[in-house]
Amino acid sequence: MTHRAQSSPATIAPVVRFAPSPTGRIHIGNARTALVNFFFAKKHGGKFILRFDDTDSERSTEEYALGIEVDLAWLGVTPDAKFRQSDRFAHYAAAARRLREAGRLYPCYETPEELERKRRLQIARGAPPVYDRAALKLTGPERAALEAAGRKPHWRFKLAPEVVRWDDLVRGDSHIDCASLSDPVLAREDGSYLYTLPSVVDDIDSGVTHIIRGEDHVTNTAVQIQLFSALGAEKAPYFAHHNLLTGADGQGLSKRTGALSIAGLREAGVEPLAVAALAALTGSSIAVQPVHSLPELAGLFDLSAMSRNSARFDEAELRALSQRVLHGLSYESVRDRLAARDIVGFKAEPLWLAARSNLTRCSDILDWWDVVEGDITVVALPDDLREAAVKTLPSDPWDETTWAAWTAAIKEATGLKGKALFHPLRLALTGRESGPELAKLLPLIGRAKTLSRLGG
């Protein structure tokens, strides 16, 4: 069997989905999949669906679901639609019933311990550890006896013994021989469903055209393609399996350990555009670079540029990129963030433009707001320098030429120049060893505050 597209993906307005399980907060690896899907949809005029795979009622929580939405919104990822699998159990039951009636879903009664013994015996004999379909050989009375003894069946999907092929939009021509696979379990003994059946039912009902996900799902693809067909889909979606991110140590990422969680990066003051750029572009032929907006990043992204090799995500590289992004942000793009910190009024924009290249995190702007608006501790000037500075202090109005005129007058009065002149003045005006250009800060500090800090 070959799953081969009938037309180019670019000619279709794609419908894609990001389907996290709300059993923890998402990390940078999960965000990569969300961003890849989001960018693909936006680039081709399509639709992005957020689907919560929350059939695991014991581990899924409302808190985690809301947290995932917050994390995605922070990254700028906004779904066109969203729903939860926990609201759709009737659809899955109907699909399971159709599969049973077609002879594609059959009951199995082995315990986990019995299955493990079978697996070990097969390995010892040098045979592939594939389920032997022993349950299909059971007679009606044998099944009844097992159930009378208290055994409840789990349900397996009967795979057709064929080679399934598909054109992977990242990996190219791909195939899996289903004869080498165990018939997958679709429903547990307690009647709950594993990932595969609800996912395919939802993809059909949602009109999903492209399934873009991590390469750890490649082995699921042949099973799902057969299941699409068994449930009456005209054709399966396109598939694309992107490479996975690892940490700087080469180890995989897990939401259970909190490794590089989006919430943690946000709390650490990392810029969301830096997270998005590094998550989406790492492991591709497109250079990781600072961007000014999510649409700009979406324009750079190309699914076909993704490598088949794993991609290492370096947190040190992220923090460096975050600073580069921050230093290029316009005032308009940070206006709301500054206002949330009570940085408003006519000084807000010139301060941002003056100080942004000196910031490590956006919140650092508060320090410079204090410099121009607050009462800070400064370092007193030597008496002779203070006297000259006060005496030559220009009258209002001040602008960015004031600093040069003032320091020229002080130099003439004292003979001081270079660092011997500028460093003491910086300490007296800002209380800091370094920072933004004083030519830009001085008009924001103003004459009255400057005179006060000089001790005049």
Side-chain angles (χ1 to χ4, degrees):
M1 175 183 180
T2 300
H3 167 60
R4 199 173 298 278
Q6 299 302 309
S7 58
S8 167
T11 65
I12 297 174
V15 178
V16 300
R17 44 77 164 174
F18 174 57
S21 297
T23 56
R25 297 296 284 269
I26 58 174
H27 56 61
I28 194 69
N30 309 130
R32 176 176 175 80
T33 298
L35 288 159
V36 167
N37 276 278
F38 184 68
F39 291 156
F40 187 81
K42 296 309 172 188
K43 196 162 190 175
H44 298 293
K47 180 180 179 181
F48 173 81
I49 298 171
L50 173 60
R51 185 184 82 207
F52 286 110
D53 287 7
D54 60 348
T55 56
D56 185 345
S57 58
E58 290 186 4
R59 296 174 57 230
S60 298
T61 71
E62 178 70 14
E63 179 185 358
Y64 284 137
L66 292 174
I68 289 170
E69 290 193 58
V70 168
D71 293 341
L72 292 176
W74 179 72
L75 289 169
V77 175
T78 53
D80 298 300
K82 63 181 179 179
F83 66 92
R84 303 182 183 211
Q85 289 189 330
S86 57
D87 295 330
R88 291 177 47 80
F89 283 116
H91 296 268
Y92 313 142
R97 185 168 56 252
R98 296 207 309 274
L99 292 173
R100 284 195 297 271
E101 292 170 352
R104 297 297 296 273
L105 194 64
Y106 62 96
C108 302
Y109 295 87
E110 296 93 343
T111 66
E113 293 76 20
E114 289 169 344
L115 290 172
E116 179 60 20
R117 281 198 297 272
K118 282 187 179 185
R119 190 184 73 85
R120 289 180 179 177
L121 186 58
Q122 287 171 317
I123 293 173
R125 291 173 175 171
V130 176
Y131 179 62
D132 60 7
R133 291 182 169 173
L136 286 174
K137 303 180 180 68
L138 294 173
T139 64
E142 286 172 332
R143 287 196 297 271
L146 286 167
E147 292 185 10
R151 295 239 183 157
K152 292 184 177 180
H154 55 273
W155 295 81
R156 290 182 184 267
F157 177 59
K158 187 179 180 182
L159 291 171
E162 61 189 5
V163 176
V164 175
R165 299 182 180 275
W166 71 95
D167 292 328
D168 196 291
L169 300 182
V170 173
R171 301 168 64 87
D173 187 54
S174 304
H175 69 276
I176 290 177
D177 184 356
C178 291
S180 68
L181 303 177
S182 291
D183 289 342
V185 177
L186 299 191
R188 302 180 181 90
E189 290 83 350
D190 63 1
S192 63
Y193 299 100
L194 281 81
Y195 160 82
T196 307
L197 180 64
S199 181
V200 171
V201 170
D202 288 339
D203 287 337
I204 293 172
D205 291 351
S206 301
V208 168
T209 62
H210 295 73
I211 295 176
I212 306 173
R213 56 191 182 181
E215 64 185 6
D216 52 332
H217 288 284
V218 168
T219 54
N220 302 331
T221 303
V223 169
Q224 291 175 340
I225 288 174
Q226 283 207 17
L227 194 50
F228 275 106
S229 177
L231 289 174
E234 290 186 15
K235 62 178 181 178
Y238 298 98
F239 285 87
H241 293 92
H242 63 74
N243 52 2
L244 300 180
L245 291 181
T246 67
D249 58 0
Q251 299 299 308
L253 306 178
S254 170
K255 63 185 176 185
R256 291 182 179 84
T257 63
L260 292 173
S261 71
I262 300 303
L265 294 174
R266 180 173 65 251
E267 290 163 6
V270 178
E271 285 298 307
L273 281 174
V275 176
L278 204 56
L281 301 181
T282 295
S284 78
S285 60
I286 304 168
V288 175
Q289 56 197 280
V291 293
H292 299 95
S293 69
L294 213 59
E296 178 187 345
L297 180 56
L300 286 174
F301 176 78
D302 186 349
L303 192 63
S304 65
M306 302 194 84
S307 168
R308 290 187 59 173
N309 299 319
S310 63
R312 188 164 293 193
F313 190 96
D314 188 339
E315 194 168 0
E317 183 182 3
L318 172 62
R319 295 187 183 281
L321 180 63
S322 180
Q323 289 189 42
R324 293 173 65 195
V325 167
L326 183 64
H327 297 170
L329 292 179
S330 68
Y331 171 69
E332 288 301 322
S333 66
V334 297
R335 179 199 296 269
D336 291 343
R337 281 198 272 173
L338 299 187
R341 294 180 168 93
D342 295 324
I343 299 177
V344 293
F346 71 94
K347 292 184 181 181
E349 182 172 6
L351 176 65
W352 174 256
L353 297 178
R356 62 184 175 179
S357 61
N358 294 90
L359 307 179
T360 299
R361 301 176 302 176
C362 185
S363 59
D364 294 342
I365 192 67
L366 286 169
D367 294 337
W368 296 106
W369 186 248
D370 281 343
V371 166
V372 302
E373 281 290 276
D375 295 321
I376 59 172
T377 301
V378 297
V379 179
L381 291 173
D383 290 344
D384 55 344
L385 180 52
R386 183 182 71 250
E387 183 179 345
V390 170
K391 186 175 181 179
T392 59
L393 192 65
S395 301
D396 285 327
W398 282 7
D399 58 27
E400 290 188 13
T401 67
T402 302
W403 170 254
W406 182 35
T407 52
I410 298 173
K411 176 182 177 182
E412 184 176 349
T414 63
L416 295 172
K417 59 182 180 180
K419 185 176 181 180
L421 172 60
F422 301 135
H423 187 246
L425 285 174
R426 178 176 289 279
L427 290 174
L429 295 173
T430 70
R432 288 155 175 77
E433 293 280 349
S434 61
E437 294 178 39
L438 283 169
K440 296 180 177 179
L441 280 187
L442 191 64
L444 301 178
I445 294 172
R447 193 176 192 278
K449 201 174 292 291
T450 296
L451 192 61
S452 173
R453 289 178 186 176
L454 293 175

